[in-house]
Amino acid sequence: MEPELPVIPTALVEVDVVREWRDGLPGAVAVREGESGPDLDAAAEPFGVDPAALRAVGASASAGDVKPFPLPAGGIGWAVGVGDGAASAWRTAGAALARAVRERLGGASDTEDETGDLGEASDADYLQVRLPAEADEQLLTELTLGLALGGYRFKVTGAAPAPRLRKVLLVASGDADVQPQREVVRRARELAAATALARDLANAPSNVKDPAWLTGTGRSLAEPLPNLTATVRDEKWLADNGFGGILAVGGGSARPPRLLELDYRPAGATGPHLVLVGKGVTFDTGGISLKPADGMHLMRTDMSGGGAVIGALLAIARLGLPVKVTGLVPSAENHVSGSAYRPGDVVRHYGGKTTEVGNTDAEGRMVMADALAYAVDQLNPDLLLDVATLTGAMKVALGLRTGGLFATDDDLARRVAEAGADAGETWWRMPLLEDHAEAVEGDLADVKQTPTGPGGVTAALFLREFTAGLPWAHLDIAGPARADKDHAEVTTGATGFAARTLVNLVAGLAER
């Protein structure tokens, strides 16, 4: 019997902007760095407590430092460090606050710790946060992302769901107009929802998550949304239409491959038609070129690129962005069996180009090549972008918090990098080194799957062969797609990296 997964998408914290501070509701205030240390006087004032109370619990201005403290009338307050008040520090602070409240709600009741008597551990699932006078669009976005994503949790369990923080009220400063602030918060929460769904899909265990489940879940979530249609192609359709790369990778598994197509067609669309391709390998053993056992369990997240594309398309539709976007998620399970593809095989992709297989663990580029060729031939795109956990080389080059960005078009590269910066996701542009282009040329076939040379670069050059010269960007998220510990709004496990960048990219194209 397969385990029952948590409800997908995961319920996130609701966030709203209000005018009035509410007595009796747990609240949080920022501690900023002053001229001579943390400004505890300003932080203590809204609660009517002596700054010594904050000093006693060790409150500081360090971004993300969260300290609860008892209030004179009962209940608790939260002091949250925001450093010098930079917008990015508010994202870190919001995430740390969400985690601290989650832990408290899930803790034992009637406990007392070093802060003194703080009452019931599950005393409220609502929280209010006082906004600073300088709260602009960027600060509101960063804080909302932190609050919505910092307390994210995905756990397959038979236990009852743990209590969680349900709503945060952001209390506007002075007589600020809250309606524009509410719109900013609504959009930021959609960005968070895209990230959280991408995390859900990647965190789902692969004994449940096969290609049919992944693509079917994407279709089910898309069906209620306006202007968004979803189609799932099965293995027979893929064979009839010559998707040799997807079929080769999925050939070793008893669970056959699929192709998900998400078509977003808003009325009055402006700008270019963008096609997004996301790698959807639901588990990757490496095939006959078997991976080492250590770390193989993480290969349930090898469809993180596909998850980002699905999450982004749903958010784009909910936001009603006026840009024509198509998402493609080629999905397969790379397994070991007598029907698995082999090193030395020649595979014919959609459109006829052939690939000489060098390593069955370089499977992502095989499924992506089919989808890119299909996009060029059938979808008439103006721009192409793919996102994948593609190469270990990118983890070596850029570490675990930065995505690799390759592009044939400078304007597209700039837009991706700016979209990521606005979303709190960092990209570093990598070169498409023409000195290595010859290495992609095949001896036995048109192209080689595993050319010699720098792995991340040559993988990108291989994919470029299937883009027909269109403006194209390739996002390698092998490093930042997974996290081994919490940091800022990122939680351990799948991170949902790239989903927010894709949404912001489309929003920028709408304004072009």
Side-chain angles (χ1 to χ4, degrees), residues 15-29:
V15 184
D16 195 8
V17 183
V18 298
R19 294 185 182 278
E20 302 293 335
W21 184 267
R22 304 184 185 186
D23 293 336
L25 190 67
V29 293

Side-chain angles (χ1 to χ4, degrees), residues 136-223:
D136 58 9
E137 180 174 341
Q138 185 181 6
L139 188 150
L140 283 167
T141 297
E142 299 277 15
L143 175 59
T144 302
L145 288 173
L147 289 167
L149 292 171
Y152 171 90
R153 179 189 323 195
F154 187 97
K155 187 172 184 177
V156 183
T157 176
R164 68 179 185 86
L165 178 62
R166 296 185 180 275
K167 190 162 187 175
V168 177
L169 303 176
L170 306 182
V171 183
S173 175
D175 56 358
D177 186 356
V178 299
Q179 193 54 42
Q181 293 184 331
R182 283 175 176 159
E183 286 301 310
V184 171
V185 167
R186 183 184 79 86
R187 183 181 183 279
R189 197 173 177 283
E190 289 295 351
L191 292 174
T195 299
L197 176 59
R199 290 180 183 179
D200 289 343
L201 297 175
N203 280 326
S206 294
N207 54 327
V208 174
K209 178 180 59 189
D210 62 7
W213 182 93
L214 176 63
T215 56
T217 299
R219 177 175 58 192
S220 297
L221 293 172
E223 283 174 347

